[in-house]
Each structure stands twice: as C-alpha cells, then as structure tokens.
C-alpha cells in the first residue's frame, strides 16, 4: 500500500452525516479518518460528525463537545414495538456555558419515539411522541436551563400531542391521544399544567420546512413512508386540521409539519424552530474548524437533489466555500443532484460493486473511501 509521508501536515476536517441504517455520523467520521491515515499517516484529522436534527444528533454532539454526558432515561416504548415495560433511552447534558448556566439538554426524537425503533412493522395510526416528551421532562427535572430538541426520523403523525401530554397538557374527548388514531376524538385542550419552558429557551433542530396541513403538509408528504395508504392521508390531514384549531399557532408556519406535526406541537409550547444542519454545525464549532482546514470531507448515505439544500453536505460545502477550503464528498450512493461544489466524489456503491454490497459492509467501504480520497487529493 502506498502512503504519503512527506510534505506539510494537512488538517482535514471529517464532517459527515450518518449513513442511515448502517453507520452513525460519529463512526463514519472515525472510519473515514482511519482510512485516510493509512495513505497519509501525517494527517491532522479533526472529527466533526454532523447531523441535521435526525438520527445521530446526540452522537454528533457527544463526539464534538468534550465534557458532554449521556444521561440514561426510561420512557414508554412506541406503540406497536411490543416491548414490555419501558424503553431504555438517553438524553445528552452539555457542559454549562454563559448562555445556559444550568447546562443544555439535547433530546433526540429518533432514539425515544423514532421510526427506526419499529423495524419492519410500522404503526402509523398508533405511533406517538409520548416517549420524546418523557425524555424532555427528564432533562427539565435535572435542571437544564436550555433545551435543544432534534426531531428528525419520526415515525408518528400525532401533531406532537403525545409529547405535550407527557409535559402536562390534557386533551378533552379522549383519555390519552395515542397517535393519529386518537386525534380524531380530541375536542379540547387544557394547557394550564403544561410545564414552562426553561429560562434559556427551547430550540428545535429540523431540516424540514413543511407546513402542518394540505397537499405539502405532514400527512401528505411524510405519511406514506410511515405506513399510511390511500384514503388514510385525507383522514389524518382532517384530524390534524381539527387539532390545529385548538391552538393559537398558524399551521402554515414553515416547519410546523416536521416530525408528523411535532414541530407544530413544539411551537404551541413556545419553542423556536431552527435549521438543523446550520445550528448543529454552529454548536459543535464546525465553522472555525473548516476555516482552519486544508480540506473538508463530508458525506451521507444517499446523495440526491435535496442534499445541496439544507442537508448536511450542502451546508458543509457552503461553509468550505466561504472559508476558501476544498470540500470532497463520500456517499453511499449517488442519486442525482448538483456536484459542482465537490471536486472529488467517492461512492461506496461503486467501490463495493453495488448498493447492496456497500450496505452489507459499510464500515469496510467507508474506510476504503477515506483511503481513496487521500490518494486523489495528495
């Protein structure tokens, strides 16, 4: 194997998103850096695994921020999962800072009420956000003074009702909402016992600009991937519309439809919605790392037209362009979209011979991709 041992030591930032279904962003960054070091042992590898508010957001923060602590929590398992008792999950406690002297809690919907928890057996009518709300409550009980809530990778379409119930809201007409099925019976809402926001506020990390209702709303856009079929979409949309009338929140607000309407529920609580990729990058120090880098490596499982707008690769590419740094892309497979920002692209599917082979041994091919990028940019 040829290696590069001469020349100045290069600072390379590894800032991939997760390769969904196979490898987390944190592990992907480590594997890419390890492969690169096989070719260029002198590399100064700076790991900044990224996320846009979906699965892997907790890991991204934990890897990039020294002193972050994983806090175990037990929550109700998603309906349909079949667990007896409770689901073992966690939230992340970030170190205290001037903006949040009591610490910042990071809670991820994906690990408490996400679609990945269900496996192949989806439950679109019963899946709810109660576990997510319980984890938020645990962070508040600990005394955090700011919350960052990552709401990607949702499997529910309950308008955030389960989350609000766990935080103290009460809905008339139904004992407990229990997912989209219960929304049709909700007749009133009582927020008098809803827990107050922490003093430092609540920021919601999402890459979705979908409104709550209509042909580009939560049910229409994301319902099919959660298991709704045919006439289900219109029924759920109508239930969400009735539910929305109980709150003083505009359902047309950008991002209200994120996570099956969880964005709407969080707006009703008083939270602010933020662009996930940009905010995660800011909080883990990505802009400063990119500004000091010779080269930046980003990537995700499937690169397509959406990746350049709001997703992690597009955001990292824009930061690199502003800093005058080169940026290269590693993807599981390429499914279209602009590549003008990337002078070099490596596809795991091409390295492995097929997408199926790449997914079966993603770790091996991520390491190989890191080595290939080192060769191409030496």
């Amino acid at each position: 194997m040829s290696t590069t041992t001469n020349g100045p030591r290069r600072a390379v930032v590894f800032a991939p998103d997760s390769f969904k279904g196979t490898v987390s962003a944190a592990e992907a960054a480590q594997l890419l850096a390890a492969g690169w070091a096989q070719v260029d042992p002198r590399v100064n590898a700076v790991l900044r695994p990224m996320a846009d508010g979906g699965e892997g957001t907790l890991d991204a923060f934990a890897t990039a921020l020294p002193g972050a602590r994983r806090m175990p929590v037990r929550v109700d398992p998603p309906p349909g999962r079949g667990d007896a008792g409770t689901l073992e999950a966690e939230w992340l406690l970030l170190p205290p800072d001037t903006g949040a002297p009591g610490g910042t809690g990071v809670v991820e919907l994906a690990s408490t009420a996400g679609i990945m928890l269900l496996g192949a057996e989806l439950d679109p009518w019963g899946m709810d956000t109660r576990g997510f709300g319980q984890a938020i409550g645990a962070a508040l009980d600990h005394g955090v003074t700011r919350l960052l809530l990552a709401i990607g990778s949702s499997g529910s379409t309950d308008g955030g009702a389960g989350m609000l119930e766990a935080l103290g809201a009460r809905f008339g007409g139904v004992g407990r909402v229990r997912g989209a099925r219960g929304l049709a019976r909700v007749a009133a809402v009582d927020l008098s016992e809803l827990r107050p926001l922490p003093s430092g506020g609540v920021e919601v990390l999402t890459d979705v600009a979908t409104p709550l209702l209509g042909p580009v709303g939560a049910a229409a856009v994301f319902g099919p991937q959660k298991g709704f079929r045919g006439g289900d979409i219109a029924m759920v949309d109508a239930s969400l519309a009735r539910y929305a009338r109980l709150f003083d929140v505009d359902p047309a607000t950008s991002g209200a439809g994120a996570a099956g309407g969880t964005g709407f529920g969080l707006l009703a609580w008083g939270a602010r919605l933020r662009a996930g990729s940009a905010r995660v990058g800011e909080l883990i120090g990505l802009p400063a790392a990119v500004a000091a880098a010779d080269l930046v490596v980003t990537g995700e499982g499937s690169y397509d037209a959406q990746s350049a707008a709001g997703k992690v690769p597009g955001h990292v590419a824009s930061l690199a362009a502003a800093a005058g740094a080169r940026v290269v892309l590693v993807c599981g497979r390429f499914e279209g979209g602009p590549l003008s920002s990337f002078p070099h692209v490596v596809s795991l599917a091409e390295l492995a011979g097929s997408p199926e082979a790449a997914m079966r041994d993603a770790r091996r091919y991520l390491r190989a991709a890191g080595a290939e990028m080192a060769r191409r940019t030496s």
Side-chain angles (χ1 to χ4, degrees), residues 156-157 208-226 228 233-234 236-238 240-241 251-262:
S156 62
T157 313
V208 172
T210 305
L212 182 66
L213 307 172
V216 292
V221 174
F222 301 110
Q225 72 189 43
K226 296 175 182 181
F228 289 118
I233 302 298
V236 175
D237 192 65
L240 286 169
T253 302
S254 176
T262 303

Side-chain angles (χ1 to χ4, degrees), residues 130-145:
R130 186 174 182 84
F132 181 50
Q134 290 171 327
I136 293 171
L140 292 173
D141 289 342
H142 186 81
V144 301
T145 50

Side-chain angles (χ1 to χ4, degrees), residues 69-112:
R69 293 166 51 198
R70 296 180 183 270
M71 309 293 288
V73 62
R74 293 183 176 182
V75 303
D76 288 355
R81 182 177 161 92
D83 295 57
T86 56
L87 172 69
E88 300 287 342
E90 61 186 11
W91 58 278
L92 192 70
L93 178 63
L94 304 187
D97 59 34
T98 55
T104 296
V106 184
V107 186
E108 183 184 85
L109 188 151
S111 62
T112 53

